[in-house]
Amino acid sequence: MNKDTSTVIIGLCGRSGSGKGYLSEIFGELGIKSIDTDAVYHEMTGTPTGGKVHPCMRELAEQFGNAVLNNTGSLNRRALSEIVFAPDGKEKLNTLNRITHRYILEETARRIASAESSGEVAVIIDAPLMFESGCDRMCDVIIAADAPEEVLLRRISDRDGISISAAQSRLASQISRDELSERADFVINTHKSRDELLDEVRELLSRITDKNYAEKGKDRKK
């Protein structure tokens, strides 16, 4: 990302169960605000405020029909999932991602601009689909959260109340650990104590917000 401000844009990604949200909290303790792209999506597709329907919701209804709307005007996620995850739904899923990613990127860019105008040292973009959505092109540096495979599986199983085999299937459908490691600038193993993580993140944050490092980072996605 080529920009003239001193705010460092940090992309934070990770596979399911990687501890990405936990890592985001650690950054928050060090004063680094986070833009949660999942939260952005839920805001856009939630119940309209003041009767104003978000353009993303209008486009989804036009594309998939009013069946994907609840009575409140919010997104009926179950109905939409049945459409895009049907055996013949691959193209529909691609269409869904194309629509939602565009609006998420626009809102993320707006929030980045706000952070820059406020003089933030750095800001986190917390994006599960960092590379798939194109969020990586907005970042100066990418950090991937990770943990041993058995830890990921246990976390997913405990968190979502599913079997280990179901957790394995979920991981198998996501970006691989090898690809994440190759595409990220840094990988942080979250399977350690909070104090250890805090020290590691503090040291890394000091490094990537250093002026010389930040200057190099501006052109990583030019």
Side-chain angles (χ1 to χ4, degrees):
M1 183 177 182
N2 189 22
K3 58 191 179 64
D4 298 322
T5 65
S6 58
T7 302
V8 179
I9 312 303
I10 304 170
L12 180 59
C13 58
R15 304 166 77 205
S16 186
S18 65
K20 180 174 58 64
Y22 183 48
L23 202 53
S24 183
E25 291 179 11
I26 298 290
F27 275 99
E29 289 185 23
L30 298 174
I32 306 302
K33 296 179 180 179
S34 175
I35 301 169
D36 185 338
T37 58
D38 267 353
V40 169
Y41 174 66
H42 283 278
E43 288 172 18
M44 294 190 306
T45 57
T47 302
T49 55
K52 187 176 181 181
V53 179
H54 194 281
C56 180
M57 282 300 302
R58 286 200 296 268
E59 193 166 343
L60 290 177
E62 290 171 2
Q63 183 66 46
F64 300 105
N66 289 332
V68 301
L69 299 179
N70 291 313
N71 292 334
T72 60
S74 62
L75 182 65
N76 185 325
R77 290 179 173 78
R78 176 174 293 182
L80 183 59
S81 294
E82 290 176 355
I83 293 172
V84 301
F85 292 115
D88 61 346
K90 184 176 181 180
E91 284 304 315
K92 293 176 182 177
L93 178 59
N94 290 337
T95 298
L96 170 65
N97 287 335
R98 186 169 61 251
I99 293 171
T100 56
H101 288 168
R102 184 174 75 252
Y103 286 105
I104 290 171
L105 288 174
E106 288 176 357
E107 177 59 21
T108 299
R110 188 192 68 76
R111 297 189 185 193
I112 288 174
S114 176
E116 291 174 338
S117 65
S118 298
E120 300 287 346
V121 172
V123 64
I124 293 281
I125 299 180
D126 181 343
L129 300 177
M130 175 64 65
F131 303 103
E132 299 90 332
S133 67
C135 276
D136 60 307
R137 294 191 293 271
M138 309 174 79
C139 302
D140 298 313
V141 61
I142 303 290
I143 297 173
D146 193 22
E149 191 85 357
E150 63 273 17
V151 174
L152 298 187
L153 294 173
R154 187 177 68 249
R155 287 175 177 173
I156 297 169
S157 178
D158 292 345
R159 182 191 65 199
D160 299 337
I162 61 176
S163 66
I164 293 296
S165 61
Q168 288 173 324
S169 296
R170 184 174 300 181
L171 279 181
S173 69
Q174 299 177 8
I175 187 171
S176 71
R177 167 179 287 153
D178 288 344
E179 184 175 355
L180 267 184
S181 297
E182 182 179 340
R183 301 183 71 173
D185 298 292
F186 301 97
V187 177
I188 295 181
N189 186 341
T190 61
H191 187 49
K192 57 187 66 172
S193 74
R194 191 176 187 87
D195 286 344
E196 288 176 309
L197 265 182
L198 188 60
D199 287 343
E200 184 174 349
V201 170
R202 183 183 287 111
E203 181 179 344
L204 178 57
L205 185 59
S206 175
R207 177 180 174 185
I208 63 181
T209 55
D210 177 82
K211 183 178 180 180
N212 292 329
Y213 185 92
E215 285 297 323
K216 294 178 183 177
K218 288 179 182 179
D219 294 326
R220 76 179 299 275
K221 292 297 174 183
K222 190 173 181 180

